[in-house]
Coordinates of all heavy atoms in Angstrom, one line a residue:
F36 N 2.6 -14.9 0.8 CA 1.5 -16.0 0.4 C 0.7 -16.2 1.6 O 0.7 -17.2 2.3 CB 2.3 -17.3 0.1 CG 3.4 -17.2 -1.0 CD1 4.8 -17.3 -0.7 CD2 3.0 -16.6 -2.2 CE1 5.7 -17.1 -1.7 CE2 4.0 -16.4 -3.3 CZ 5.3 -16.6 -3.0
D37 N 0.0 -15.2 2.0 CA -1.0 -15.1 3.1 C -0.3 -15.6 4.4 O -1.0 -16.3 5.3 CB -2.1 -15.9 2.8 CG -3.0 -15.4 1.7 OD1 -3.0 -14.2 1.5 OD2 -3.5 -16.3 0.8
E91 N -8.9 -4.6 -0.5 CA -7.8 -4.3 -1.1 C -7.9 -3.7 -2.4 O -8.3 -4.5 -3.3 CB -6.8 -5.3 -1.0 CG -6.5 -5.8 0.5 CD -5.3 -6.7 0.8 OE1 -5.0 -7.4 -0.3 OE2 -4.8 -6.9 1.8
V93 N -6.4 -2.9 -5.8 CA -5.1 -2.9 -6.5 C -5.2 -2.3 -7.9 O -6.2 -2.5 -8.6 CB -5.0 -4.5 -6.7 CG1 -3.7 -4.7 -7.7 CG2 -4.7 -5.3 -5.4
L94 N -4.2 -1.6 -8.3 CA -4.0 -0.9 -9.6 C -2.9 -1.6 -10.2 O -1.8 -1.8 -9.7 CB -3.6 0.6 -9.3 CG -4.7 1.7 -9.2 CD1 -5.4 1.8 -10.4 CD2 -5.7 1.3 -8.1
R95 N -3.1 -1.8 -11.6 CA -2.0 -2.5 -12.4 C -1.7 -1.7 -13.6 O -2.6 -1.5 -14.3 CB -2.4 -3.9 -12.8 CG -2.8 -4.7 -11.5 CD -3.3 -6.2 -12.0 NE -3.7 -6.9 -11.0 CZ -2.9 -7.8 -10.2 NH1 -1.5 -7.8 -10.5 NH2 -3.3 -8.6 -9.3
A99 N 1.8 -8.6 -13.8 CA 2.8 -9.3 -12.9 C 1.9 -10.0 -11.8 O 0.8 -9.8 -11.8 CB 3.7 -8.3 -12.1
G100 N 2.7 -10.9 -11.0 CA 2.0 -11.6 -9.9 C 0.7 -12.4 -10.3 O 0.6 -13.1 -11.3
S101 N -0.3 -12.2 -9.6 CA -1.6 -13.1 -9.6 C -2.2 -12.7 -11.0 O -3.0 -13.7 -11.5 CB -2.5 -12.8 -8.5 OG -3.0 -11.5 -8.6
L102 N -2.1 -11.6 -11.7 CA -2.7 -11.2 -13.0 C -2.3 -12.3 -14.0 O -3.0 -12.8 -14.8 CB -2.4 -9.9 -13.2 CG -3.2 -9.5 -14.6 CD1 -4.5 -8.7 -14.2 CD2 -2.3 -8.5 -15.5
R105 N -3.7 -15.8 -13.5 CA -5.2 -15.9 -13.7 C -5.5 -15.8 -15.2 O -6.4 -16.4 -15.7 CB -5.9 -14.7 -12.9 CG -7.2 -14.8 -13.0 CD -8.1 -13.7 -12.1 NE -7.9 -13.8 -10.7 CZ -7.3 -13.0 -9.9 NH1 -6.9 -11.8 -10.4 NH2 -7.2 -13.2 -8.7
E120 N -8.7 -3.4 -9.4 CA -9.4 -4.6 -9.0 C -9.7 -4.4 -7.5 O -9.0 -3.7 -6.8 CB -8.5 -5.9 -9.1 CG -8.1 -6.2 -10.6 CD -7.0 -7.3 -10.6 OE1 -6.2 -7.4 -9.7 OE2 -6.9 -7.9 -11.6
Y122 N -10.2 -6.7 -4.0 CA -10.1 -8.0 -3.2 C -10.6 -7.9 -1.8 O -10.3 -6.9 -1.2 CB -8.5 -8.4 -3.1 CG -7.8 -8.8 -4.6 CD1 -7.3 -7.7 -5.3 CD2 -8.0 -10.1 -5.1 CE1 -6.8 -8.0 -6.5 CE2 -7.4 -10.4 -6.3 CZ -6.9 -9.4 -7.1 OH -6.3 -9.7 -8.2
D126 N -7.4 -12.8 5.1 CA -6.4 -13.9 4.8 C -7.0 -15.3 4.8 O -6.4 -16.2 4.0 CB -5.2 -13.8 6.0 CG -4.3 -12.6 5.7 OD1 -4.4 -11.9 4.6 OD2 -3.7 -12.1 6.7
D130 N -8.0 -13.6 0.4 CA -8.1 -12.4 -0.3 C -8.9 -12.6 -1.5 O -8.3 -12.2 -2.6 CB -6.9 -11.5 -0.5 CG -6.3 -11.1 0.9 OD1 -6.9 -11.3 1.9 OD2 -5.1 -10.5 0.7
D176 N 2.5 -2.4 -10.2 CA 1.2 -2.4 -9.6 C 1.3 -2.2 -8.1 O 2.4 -2.0 -7.5 CB 0.6 -4.0 -9.8 CG 1.5 -5.0 -9.2 OD1 2.2 -4.7 -8.2 OD2 1.4 -6.1 -9.7
F177 N 0.2 -2.0 -7.5 CA 0.3 -1.6 -6.1 C -1.1 -1.8 -5.4 O -2.2 -1.9 -6.2 CB 0.8 -0.1 -5.7 CG 0.0 0.9 -6.5 CD1 -1.1 1.6 -5.7 CD2 0.1 1.2 -7.8 CE1 -1.7 2.6 -6.3 CE2 -0.7 2.2 -8.4 CZ -1.6 2.9 -7.6
K178 N -1.2 -1.8 -4.1 CA -2.4 -2.1 -3.4 C -2.6 -0.9 -2.4 O -1.8 -0.4 -1.8 CB -2.2 -3.4 -2.5 CG -3.3 -3.8 -1.6 CD -3.4 -3.4 -0.3 CE -2.3 -3.8 0.6 NZ -2.4 -3.3 2.0
P196 N 7.6 -0.7 -0.6 CA 7.7 -1.8 -1.5 C 7.2 -3.2 -1.0 O 7.2 -4.3 -1.7 CB 9.4 -2.0 -1.4 CG 9.8 -0.9 -0.2 CD 8.6 -0.1 -0.2
D197 N 6.5 -3.2 0.1 CA 5.7 -4.4 0.6 C 4.5 -4.5 -0.1 O 3.9 -5.6 -0.3 CB 5.4 -4.2 2.0 CG 6.5 -4.9 3.0 OD1 7.6 -5.0 2.6 OD2 6.2 -5.0 4.3
T198 N 4.0 -3.3 -0.6 CA 2.6 -3.3 -1.3 C 2.7 -2.8 -2.6 O 1.6 -2.6 -3.2 CB 1.7 -2.3 -0.4 OG1 2.2 -0.9 -0.4 CG2 1.5 -2.7 1.1
C199 N 3.8 -2.6 -3.2 CA 3.9 -2.1 -4.6 C 4.9 -3.1 -5.3 O 5.7 -3.7 -4.7 CB 4.6 -0.8 -4.7 SG 3.8 0.6 -3.8
R200 N 4.7 -3.1 -6.6 CA 5.9 -3.7 -7.4 C 6.6 -2.5 -8.1 O 5.8 -1.8 -9.0 CB 5.2 -4.8 -8.4 CG 5.0 -6.1 -7.8 CD 4.8 -7.2 -8.8 NE 4.5 -8.5 -8.1 CZ 3.4 -9.0 -7.8 NH1 2.2 -8.3 -8.1 NH2 3.2 -10.0 -7.1
K212 N 9.0 -6.5 -2.8 CA 8.8 -7.6 -1.9 C 8.8 -8.9 -2.8 O 9.1 -10.0 -2.3 CB 7.6 -7.5 -1.2 CG 7.8 -8.6 0.0 CD 6.5 -8.4 1.2 CE 5.3 -9.2 0.8 NZ 4.3 -9.0 1.8
D213 N 8.9 -8.8 -4.1 CA 8.9 -10.0 -4.9 C 10.2 -10.7 -4.8 O 10.4 -11.9 -4.9 CB 8.8 -9.8 -6.4 CG 7.3 -10.0 -6.9 OD1 6.5 -10.4 -6.1 OD2 7.0 -9.5 -8.0
R216 N 9.6 -12.8 -1.8 CA 8.5 -13.8 -2.1 C 9.2 -15.0 -2.9 O 8.9 -16.2 -2.7 CB 7.4 -13.3 -3.1 CG 6.3 -12.3 -2.4 CD 5.3 -12.0 -3.4 NE 4.3 -11.0 -2.8 CZ 4.4 -9.8 -3.2 NH1 5.2 -9.3 -4.1 NH2 3.6 -8.9 -2.7
Ligands
UDP302 N1 -0.5 -6.9 -2.6 C1 -0.6 -6.4 -1.2 N2 -1.1 -7.1 -0.2 C2 -1.9 -8.2 -0.5 C3 -2.0 -8.7 -1.9 C4 -1.3 -7.8 -2.9 O1 0.1 -5.3 -0.9 O2 -2.4 -8.9 0.3 C5 0.0 -6.0 -3.6 C6 1.3 -6.6 -4.1 O3 2.4 -6.4 -3.5 C7 1.3 -6.1 -5.5 C8 -0.2 -5.9 -5.9 O4 -0.9 -5.7 -4.6 O5 2.0 -5.0 -5.7 C9 -0.9 -6.9 -6.7 O6 -0.8 -8.3 -6.1 P1 -1.1 -9.5 -6.8 O7 -2.6 -9.6 -6.9 O8 -0.3 -9.8 -8.1 O9 -0.9 -10.6 -5.7 P2 0.3 -11.4 -5.3 O10 1.2 -11.6 -6.3 O11 0.9 -10.7 -4.2 O12 -0.3 -12.7 -4.8

Side-chain angles (χ1 to χ4, degrees):
F36 312 118
D37 299 325
E91 300 196 338
V93 170
L94 270 290
R95 302 179 184 273
S101 69
L102 184 97
R105 182 178 295 120
E120 299 170 337
Y122 294 88
D126 281 346
D130 298 349
D176 59 30
F177 59 101
K178 181 267 296 181
D197 275 13
T198 61
C199 301
R200 286 193 174 93
K212 202 166 88 172
D213 267 354
R216 286 190 187 97

